[in-house]
């Protein structure tokens, strides 16, 4: 509740690192708190990343494990003046948020609430997001650090802690120093329901289609002018509707999604994002999109186009499958914490997918966050405690198996 009161919203329009200076307000506090726990090397680097080491307390050679969370909150709703409210012993009734009484948490809208009856729930007050994404992850890691520092009987290898800025604006790994971090395997704590573990993300490409029309003075254009905007319209109208779209797919299905159109009569650009869990299927979707474009362009023989594919990120499973112990131990830690394991795939990318391809295989563990990026965000204190326990169990399992 202390962490969420510090405004750490990141800014997608900023080119600085971190994108907002205020994110460092929390980072600095984390460094102080870690120092106070006796984590002596805790420090914030120049780009606002916090690095810290919990020393090993075992004779064994254990791989270095990192726990990672992001300090920033999403730009989707205000993160200024967050007033967290603790609702003790939730009884299943609607929760009306006091600063905007139209903001009501109902079980009907959020079935997960049924599981939280009897729990203590934290919400914001109705005018801001809560920021449990990802301050719940930050809190879980901090509490696990405090526990490990005061419980020498729990044996573990070297544990690295990493707190990053700018995850919500896709720049969370932009300035991370992997050398300095010095970890072999990692876990982000940035997931939802208790017991969930995410080891798969989309693979992602971007496609930029540029259409070059033929321009003349419109008064004397008959038989000559070809309007790039109209071709762009034809391309959009030719995209499949009932399938291959975000609005018509779920689960393991991928899609082709136009995200931006820009242009004048002479030249038009359409940007697409292509998503699939199988990297090979991205190429198939791109070929299919290209075939649609060629079909449309056949009607305009004097116009031309460029079709440029750019890699965005890849499914972390491609990396994680090479180190099955990373996910196996996480599953075991969740079960040892008395939870039912729920494997999930993320229909998006995470910092973990980028870290995995930067040499730190890194699935995503639950932190308890719910209804994220909204004013109705909520989280159970008991779920958060389970996240702490899972971290401790995980440290223990890596030591046992080494
Ligand atoms: Zn997050």
């Amino acid at each position: 509740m202390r962490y969420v009161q510090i405004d750490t919203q990141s800014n997608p329009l900023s080119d600085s690192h971190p994108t907002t200076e205020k994110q460092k307000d929390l980072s600095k506090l984390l460094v102080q708190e870690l120092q106070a726990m006796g984590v002596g090397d805790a420090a914030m680097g120049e780009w606002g990343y916090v690095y810290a080491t919990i020393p090993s307390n075992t004779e064994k050679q254990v791989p270095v494990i990192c726990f990672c969370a992001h300090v920033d909150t999403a730009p989707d709703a205000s993160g200024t003046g967050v007033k967290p409210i603790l609702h003790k012993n939730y009884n299943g009734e609607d929760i009306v948020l006091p600063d905007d009484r139209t903001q009501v948490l109902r079980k009907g809208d959020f079935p997960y609430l049924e599981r939280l009856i009897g729990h203590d729930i934290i919400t914001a007050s109705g005018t801001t997001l809560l920021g449990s994404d990802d301050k719940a992850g930050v809190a879980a890691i901090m509490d696990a650090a405090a526990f490990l520092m005061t419980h020498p009987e729990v044996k573990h290898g070297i544990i690295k802690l990493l707190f990053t800025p700018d995850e919500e604006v896709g720049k969370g790994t932009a300035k991370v120093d992997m050398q300095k971090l010095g970890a072999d395997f990692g876990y982000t704590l940035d997931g939802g329901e208790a017991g969930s573990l995410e080891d798969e993300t989309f693979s992602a490409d971007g496609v930029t289609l540029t259409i070059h029309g033929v321009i003349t003075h419109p008064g004397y254009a008959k038989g000559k002018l070809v309007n790039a905007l109209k071709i762009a319209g034809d391309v959009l109208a030719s995209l499949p509707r009932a399938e291959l779209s975000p609005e018509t797919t779920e689960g393991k299905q991928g899609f082709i999604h136009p995200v931006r159109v820009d242009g004048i009569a002479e030249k038009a650009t359409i940007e697409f994002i292509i998503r699939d869990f199988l990297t090979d299927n991205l190429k198939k979707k791109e070929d299919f999109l290209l075939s649609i474009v060629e079909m449309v362009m056949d009607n305009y023989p004097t116009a031309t186009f460029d079709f440029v594919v750019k890699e965005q990120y890849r499914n972390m499973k491609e990396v994680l499958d090479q180190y099955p112990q990373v996910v196996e131990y996480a599953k075991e830690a969740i079960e040892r914490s008395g939870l039912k394991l729920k494997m999930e795939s993320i229909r998006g990318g995470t910092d973990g997918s980028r870290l995995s391809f930067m040499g730190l295989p890194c699935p995503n563990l639950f932190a308890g966050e719910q209804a994220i990026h909204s004013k109705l965000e909520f989280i159970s204190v008991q779920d958060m405690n389970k996240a702490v326990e899972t971290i401790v169990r995980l440290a223990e399992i890596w030591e046992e198996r080494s």
Side-chain angles (χ1 to χ4, degrees):
M1 288 176 77
R2 203 150 36 81
Y3 298 160
V4 299
Q5 292 177 60
I6 300 171
D7 184 357
T8 56
Q9 193 178 54
S10 48
N11 177 3
L13 303 176
S14 161
D15 287 325
S16 48
H17 291 282
T19 59
T20 53
E21 275 298 299
K22 60 188 176 185
Q23 295 179 64
K24 292 183 181 169
D25 297 346
L26 176 55
S27 302
K28 283 180 206 153
L29 176 68
L30 298 176
V31 169
Q32 281 168 18
E33 293 188 0
L34 286 165
Q35 292 276 359
M37 286 176 204
V39 181
D41 75 339
M44 183 177 75
E46 61 172 322
W47 306 109
Y49 290 73
V50 174
Y51 302 86
T53 311
I54 298 176
S56 167
N57 63 2
T58 176
E59 313 275 83
K60 293 185 187 173
Q61 284 295 325
V62 184
V64 178
I65 302 304
C66 170
F67 294 101
C68 171
H70 63 94
V71 298
D72 66 314
T73 58
D76 309 59
S78 170
T80 306
V82 174
K83 286 192 263 168
I85 301 170
L86 178 65
H87 309 263
K88 286 209 164 181
N89 196 5
Y90 170 61
N91 62 7
E93 283 170 18
D94 293 356
I95 297 177
V96 180
L97 301 184
D99 289 347
D100 176 355
R101 303 192 66 82
T102 66
Q103 298 288 335
V104 183
L105 260 181
R106 296 184 182 90
K107 266 191 308 181
D109 299 333
F110 301 101
Y112 188 71
L113 281 169
E114 185 68 43
R115 260 179 67 178
L116 301 186
I117 291 176
H119 285 220
D120 303 324
I121 292 177
I122 301 172
T123 65
S125 63
T127 54
T128 66
L129 48 63
L130 174 63
S132 69
D133 174 12
D134 184 24
K135 286 163 181 169
V138 172
I141 293 171
M142 292 295 284
D143 202 26
F147 182 88
L148 291 172
M149 292 300 288
T150 49
H151 289 77
E153 73 280 8
V154 177
K155 296 295 169 203
H156 57 82
I158 298 171
I159 309 276
K160 295 282 182 174
L161 311 180
L162 174 67
F163 298 112
T164 64
D166 292 331
E167 190 268 356
E168 298 290 359
V169 294
K171 293 179 180 168
T173 58
K175 296 285 181 185
V176 66
D177 184 341
M178 300 302 275
Q179 204 99 34
K180 186 169 175 174
L181 182 64
D184 298 308
F185 303 107
Y187 298 91
T188 49
L189 274 109
D190 195 13
E193 80 174 76
S196 66
L197 171 62
E198 297 167 326
D199 66 343
E200 250 200 292
T201 57
F202 271 146
S203 276
D205 280 348
V207 171
T208 304
L209 170 67
T210 309
I211 300 159
H212 304 277
V214 179
I215 205 70
T216 63
H217 186 292
Y220 308 94
K222 189 170 182 188
K224 286 183 240 145
L225 186 139
V226 182
N227 190 325
L229 295 172
K230 291 183 181 171
I231 302 177
D234 284 1
V235 169
L236 292 174
S238 305
L239 293 173
R241 302 292 165 98
E243 49 171 17
L244 286 174
S245 301
E247 60 270 35
T248 54
T249 52
E250 61 184 355
K252 287 292 179 73
Q253 301 166 313
F255 54 73
I256 297 170
H257 181 39
V259 291
R260 186 186 163 89
V261 183
D262 206 17
I264 53 176
E266 187 178 6
K267 181 178 144 185
T269 308
I270 309 176
E271 283 172 29
F272 297 89
I273 61 171
I274 315 291
R275 298 290 186 262
D276 204 285
F277 284 97
L278 297 173
T279 299
D280 288 346
N281 283 353
L282 289 178
K283 177 83 173 84
K284 287 181 194 156
K285 290 190 164 60
E286 286 147 16
D287 288 345
F288 176 63
L289 177 60
L290 181 60
S291 73
I292 291 173
V293 173
E294 285 170 339
M295 197 182 68
V296 169
M297 293 300 294
D298 275 350
N299 301 323
Y300 305 94
T302 55
T304 58
F305 72 95
D306 307 312
F307 187 93
V308 180
V309 177
K310 200 171 154 220
E311 180 176 323
Q312 292 179 329
Y313 58 83
R314 291 291 176 256
N315 186 343
M316 62 160 91
K317 202 168 196 313
E318 292 171 15
V319 176
L320 291 174
D321 280 350
Q322 298 168 42
Y323 309 95
Q325 69 275 32
V326 179
V327 170
E328 280 316 308
Y329 296 174
K331 288 180 180 172
E332 197 176 328
I334 287 170
E335 279 161 359
R336 269 194 206 182
S337 304
L339 295 167
K340 199 166 152 335
L341 174 71
K342 188 176 177 202
M343 294 303 295
E344 289 190 88
S345 310
I346 307 169
R347 287 176 64 80
T350 67
D351 272 357
S353 40
R354 290 179 190 90
L355 289 170
S356 293
F357 284 89
M358 289 166 80
L360 187 76
C362 194
N364 188 33
L365 286 167
F366 72 92
E369 48 204 71
Q370 296 290 328
I372 55 172
H373 300 197
S374 80
K375 293 174 186 172
L376 289 174
E377 208 183 332
F378 63 96
I379 191 160
S380 143
V381 176
Q382 283 76 3
D383 282 1
M384 291 175 72
N385 276 331
K386 283 296 179 188
V388 179
E389 187 176 347
T390 300
I391 295 172
V392 173
R393 299 284 179 217
L394 200 41
E396 199 173 62
I397 291 168
W398 275 96
E399 199 271 349
E400 284 172 24
R401 299 295 156 77
S402 295

